[in-house]
Amino acid sequence: MKLLKLNKAIYSIFGLLILLSSCKEKPKSNSNTLAMSTTEIKTEAPKNELSQEFKEYWYNGTAEITSYNLEQARYGEMREGSAVLIYVTEPFLPGAQVKADNSNKSNIPVLKLNTTKNYITGIYPYSIMTSSFYPVHDNKHALKISFSAQEWCGHVYAQLNNKDDFEIMSHSYFESEGDQDYHIEKAILENEIWNKIRVNPENLTIGEIKMIPSLEFIRTTHKEFKAYEAITTLTEKDGMNTYEIHYPQLERTLKIMFENKFPYAIESWADTFHDGFGDNKKVLTSKATRINRITTPYWQQKSNKDLYLRDSLGL
């Protein structure tokens, strides 16, 4: 009888331990559970230390906004327009992969880049926006990339989430593309390069690599969403660095020009590729050159009295 009560007590304690473990997202393992577990233990990538100048520049309660004159290739012709790069730090919720509303030790600090482009094609306008969320500790790929384009024919949307692999969701008004969900293997993302330059350009990968082109390029040229062979170089001249990405298979070359000193501000870029379709297809180069740069808490500046800030950006 005593033995039966003892066994019941043991089973009760064991059941309680299982219940407590199941309430935790990632239960702690000890030497006993490790021996029984066949699940791969994932270790967090080491965090690179943030410099004092990085903290003072990126954590001062403002965003950095830079406007550019844009010459955009589209449908085999050059279009005039504007581009804006908005950089800001914020906490990122890793599970839901969205901006965190509340402070939590599990949040990942990221440097977010919102890129906008606006230009006219004939009678109708194009509006493009890409968002890249990159960890400030520069210890993993971008956590999320999203892209949308709107024009009078319709709009398209694509999103990449960095989980066990890259999860892709894509929507389009084209029948041949429609609604898609699929996974691809991880590789360096062209979209994350623009964040990485601002965090630490010394860690840019140089040489022959695999790289996934930007969501904008893939969606507007209707290319397959995958990693392509790329050749990258980094050169310096007159205080400016140029990071060049050449995709032999795509016959495309992207050059990003940025200051060679902190905060490594991006001054211009040039993107050369085959643009257009059919008889209108030709090699053209899209270019952007800086108009102005300001740091300001733009999310607080929603009144008509704040319109002068757009004038200061030449927009």
Side-chain angles (χ1 to χ4, degrees), residues 8-65:
K8 285 183 177 181
I10 292 172
Y11 288 139
S12 297
I13 294 171
F14 184 68
L16 179 60
L17 289 173
I18 292 175
L19 179 60
L20 290 174
S21 296
S22 65
C23 294
K24 298 178 181 179
E25 186 175 345
K26 289 186 179 180
K28 294 181 179 180
S29 298
N30 55 37
S31 57
N32 294 327
T33 57
L34 278 175
M36 297 184 292
S37 175
T38 58
T39 303
E40 181 182 353
I41 304 299
K42 294 184 178 180
T43 57
E44 186 69 21
K47 297 178 179 179
N48 294 320
E49 193 69 27
L50 300 181
S51 67
Q52 188 60 35
E53 62 179 352
F54 185 95
K55 295 175 184 177
E56 291 175 357
Y57 188 83
W58 290 113
Y59 288 96
N60 63 6
T62 66
E64 181 198 85
I65 306 171

Side-chain angles (χ1 to χ4, degrees), residues 48-173:
N48 294 320
E49 193 69 27
L50 300 181
S51 67
Q52 188 60 35
E53 62 179 352
F54 185 95
K55 295 175 184 177
E56 291 175 357
Y57 188 83
W58 290 113
Y59 288 96
N60 63 6
T62 66
E64 181 198 85
I65 306 171
T66 309
S67 55
Y68 300 83
N69 282 317
L70 179 66
E71 300 173 58
Q72 182 66 43
R74 192 72 179 125
Y75 303 124
E77 295 182 287
M78 297 304 301
R79 322 291 178 156
E80 293 184 359
S82 63
V84 183
L85 301 187
I86 306 103
Y87 284 96
V88 64
T89 51
E90 63 185 31
F92 191 81
L93 197 60
Q97 297 214 319
V98 292
K99 179 181 178 180
D101 290 334
N102 302 296
S103 177
N104 190 298
K105 63 180 181 180
S106 66
N107 291 343
I108 299 175
V110 300
L111 178 64
K112 179 177 72 175
L113 168 61
N114 284 336
T115 302
T116 66
K117 292 182 179 180
N118 292 274
Y119 54 90
I120 304 293
T121 55
I123 190 175
Y124 63 93
Y126 258 83
S127 178
I128 291 175
M129 182 170 180
T130 306
S131 297
S132 306
F133 302 80
Y134 189 77
V136 297
H137 291 291
D138 197 21
N139 59 346
K140 61 182 71 177
H141 289 298
L143 304 176
K144 179 180 178 180
I145 310 288
S146 61
F147 162 83
S148 64
Q150 300 80 38
E151 37 92 3
W152 285 4
C153 294
H155 58 132
V156 297
Y157 179 81
Q159 180 172 302
L160 178 150
N161 291 90
N162 180 357
K163 296 188 177 179
D164 290 336
D165 49 17
F166 285 159
E167 298 182 4
I168 313 299
M169 175 182 65
S170 180
H171 302 284
S172 171
Y173 62 88

Side-chain angles (χ1 to χ4, degrees), residues 201-209 231-235 243-244:
E202 292 182 2
N203 287 340
L204 289 168
T205 305
I206 308 300
E208 297 182 6
I209 61 173
I231 302 169
T232 62
T233 59
L234 180 63
T235 56
Y243 188 66
E244 181 175 318

Side-chain angles (χ1 to χ4, degrees), residues 212-263:
I212 299 172
S214 70
L215 269 64
E216 177 187 351
F217 179 81
I218 287 174
R219 299 304 293 119
T220 56
T221 59
H222 308 285
K223 300 295 184 184
E224 183 181 354
F225 204 136
K226 67 175 187 178
Y228 293 81
E229 297 288 344
I231 302 169
T232 62
T233 59
L234 180 63
T235 56
E236 189 273 336
K237 183 179 180 181
D238 299 329
M240 295 294 295
N241 284 341
T242 299
Y243 188 66
E244 181 175 318
I245 306 167
H246 176 62
Y247 299 93
Q249 183 181 347
L250 299 174
E251 298 181 287
R252 173 180 175 234
T253 300
L254 172 64
K255 297 180 181 180
I256 306 172
M257 282 67 79
F258 61 97
E259 296 175 351
N260 67 354
K261 294 181 180 179
F262 184 86

